[in-house]
Amino acid sequence: GQQLNQSPQSMFIQEGEDVSMNCTSSSIFNTWLWYKQDPGEGPVLLIALYKAGELTSNGRLTAQFGITRKDSFLNISASIPSDVGIYFCAGQSAGAQKLVFGQGTRLTINP
Amino acid sequence: AAGVIQSPRHLIKEKRETATLKCYPIPRHDTVYWYQQGPGQDPQFLISFYEKMQSDKGSIPDRFSAQQFSDYHSELNMSSLELGDSALYFCASSLRAGRLGRVTQYFGPGTRLLVL
């Protein structure tokens, strides 16, 4: 089945540092989504990408849809304590309803 | 803005019992999706519905069934519960074909099911 490889699995950074994480797939996706999940809560949509090469920002967050349609990255600039959580990439292929998720990146910030 | 509503938020059941999870999508959203998330795992797609018809199916056990009603809310019915069914269950909703054909899924807060 489809699989997304998300890296890194965890990150330990200092407040104010920039963060970068990415997802790669062996399959082509038409949509890439990035979600943040706090413990015991539902994933919250951060950024949605719909076109190959698309670069989209949401405040301190920037994400790009890879030109090959098989990868995406998320950058967080100037991290703050509330950025702590688990970040998931998710891909959706043409004609499919389901989202396929990456394994998640757990972000920990030292004040 | 209104979000996806799920009930109950927490549920404790014994093995072999049944459970019903409910999902109320964002107003005007016509498609609902169910996902299961085990401890430390990523969400896994179970099933989705559009206009009361099943639109996609994932790794949903035969012991589980779901349906969407005319008001677009959905219920996930789980029978003969097993210990391994303990997980977070998320519902997401979307417009079938949003602006420019883009579909974006918004997730609810989840139901935490514990099977003892």
Side-chain angles (χ1 to χ4, degrees), chain A residues 25-98:
Chain A
S25 170
S26 57
S27 305
I28 288 174
F29 288 104
N30 282 13
T31 300
W32 282 94
L33 303 169
W34 284 91
Y35 292 89
K36 178 175 182 280
Q37 185 176 29
D38 292 327
E41 299 296 325
V44 175
L45 181 67
L46 299 175
I47 292 181
L49 303 160
Y50 302 102
K51 287 176 57 177
E54 180 180 359
L55 182 70
T56 297
S57 293
N58 178 10
R60 295 178 295 105
L61 279 60
T62 301
Q64 184 158 30
F65 191 142
I67 198 70
T68 65
R69 295 164 64 191
K70 293 183 178 181
D71 64 302
S72 177
F73 73 74
L74 174 70
N75 289 339
I76 305 173
S77 63
S79 58
I80 59 177
S82 62
D83 291 334
V84 166
I86 302 177
Y87 292 78
F88 286 101
C89 62
Q92 186 175 34
S93 53
Q97 296 290 298
K98 69 178 182 181

Side-chain angles (χ1 to χ4, degrees), chain A residues 31 33 35 37 39-45 48 50-51 54 88 92 95-104, chain B residues 9 31 33 35 37 40-45 48 50 55-56 88 90 96 102-110 112:
Chain A
T31 300
L33 303 169
Y35 292 89
Q37 185 176 29
E41 299 296 325
V44 175
L45 181 67
Y50 302 102
K51 287 176 57 177
E54 180 180 359
F88 286 101
Q92 186 175 34
Q97 296 290 298
K98 69 178 182 181
L99 291 178
V100 178
F101 281 81
Q103 302 95 326
Chain B
R9 291 295 311 276
T31 306
Y33 315 79
Y35 292 82
Q37 186 179 31
Q41 304 295 314
D42 54 283
Q44 296 292 314
F45 174 75
S48 63
Y50 167 68
S55 55
D56 200 357
L88 274 168
F90 292 107
R96 169 75 168 191
R102 298 172 174 178
V103 179
T104 306
Q105 295 184 26
Y106 296 89
F107 283 75
R112 181 177 294 278

Side-chain angles (χ1 to χ4, degrees), chain B residues 21-107:
Chain B
L21 279 53
K22 297 185 178 182
C23 168
Y24 298 86
I26 291 171
R28 294 189 302 281
H29 280 191
D30 50 20
T31 306
V32 293
Y33 315 79
W34 288 97
Y35 292 82
Q36 178 191 58
Q37 186 179 31
Q41 304 295 314
D42 54 283
Q44 296 292 314
F45 174 75
L46 294 177
I47 197 167
S48 63
F49 290 87
Y50 167 68
E51 292 289 346
K52 298 186 288 184
M53 298 291 290
Q54 180 182 306
S55 55
D56 200 357
K57 188 174 181 180
S59 50
I60 183 170
D62 292 340
R63 299 177 289 107
F64 295 5
S65 65
Q67 58 182 327
Q68 185 182 30
F69 297 85
S70 55
D71 64 351
Y72 298 114
H73 94 272
S74 178
E75 296 183 1
L76 177 66
N77 299 295
M78 311 161 72
S79 63
S80 302
L81 288 168
E82 302 173 356
L83 296 179
D85 296 329
S86 295
L88 274 168
Y89 290 84
F90 292 107
C91 173
S93 76
S94 75
L95 283 170
R96 169 75 168 191
R99 189 174 67 90
L100 300 179
R102 298 172 174 178
V103 179
T104 306
Q105 295 184 26
Y106 296 89
F107 283 75

